[in-house]
Amino acid sequence: MRIAQYSLISCLLLACSWAQAQVVVVVNRDTAVEKINSDQATQMFLKQVQTWPDGKPVQPIDIREGAPLRAEFYSKVTGRSAGQVRAYWARQSFTGMGFPPRQADSAEEVSKLVQATPGAIGYIHKKQVAPALKVVLETSP
């Protein structure tokens, strides 16, 4: 009986790990960058870096607060929790130093906005990458 229980638990844990899709950072296909690292992505989404190497403006596109993908992105890429990101933007807004990136309601909307916006950067699940997007950073699953 115990062996059957352990087997069932093992199968469920394995299925959960398969269900968790890999988050990727994507840019508009015309962006002159092929790869970035986590630190660079963090700086772009916190608007600490505002231009690409070719001088075009970085246009970060975030997913609305409360979305699981947003929490996963900020945890994996920036090492920050949703509360820490919210506090960062509250300070930036209060002091007049900056405002949060444009927000989309879903990964599908992020994909469309990044495809249509020169200099745009966003994050989606790897399985949602369209041909008109370029993956510049992959997180671990």
Side-chain angles (χ1 to χ4, degrees):
M1 181 68 165
R2 290 237 183 238
I3 293 174
Q5 288 174 335
Y6 287 125
S7 295
L8 179 60
I9 290 171
S10 296
C11 288
L12 288 173
L13 289 174
L14 187 58
C16 287
S17 68
W18 283 337
Q20 189 178 32
Q22 185 176 8
V23 176
V24 294
V25 177
V26 293
V27 296
N28 180 284
R29 182 56 78 186
D30 296 331
T31 303
V33 170
E34 297 302 316
K35 295 289 177 196
I36 62 173
N37 60 38
S38 292
D39 290 337
Q40 292 167 315
T42 298
Q43 291 171 343
M44 289 176 187
F45 277 90
L46 297 180
K47 292 189 171 180
Q48 296 165 344
V49 169
Q50 297 186 359
T51 57
W52 292 103
D54 64 1
K56 289 182 183 172
V58 173
Q59 302 288 334
I61 300 175
D62 220 339
I63 294 181
R64 66 175 167 70
E65 275 193 59
L69 180 56
R70 178 182 170 120
E72 185 178 356
F73 166 77
Y74 278 103
S75 173
K76 286 182 174 182
V77 175
T78 73
R80 290 172 170 82
S81 69
Q84 289 171 316
V85 173
R86 191 172 29 259
Y88 171 82
W89 284 116
R91 283 190 306 275
Q92 295 298 306
S93 298
F94 181 74
T95 61
M97 299 298 290
F99 297 94
R102 179 178 184 177
Q103 290 189 5
D105 288 328
S106 66
E108 293 80 16
E109 187 179 350
V110 169
S111 178
K112 289 176 186 175
L113 288 169
V114 171
Q115 289 177 61
T117 310
I121 183 170
Y123 52 90
I124 57 177
H125 286 116
K126 188 173 185 174
K127 65 183 177 189
Q128 296 171 308
V129 175
L133 297 173
K134 186 186 325 182
V135 175
V136 292
L137 176 65
E138 295 187 30
T139 64
S140 56

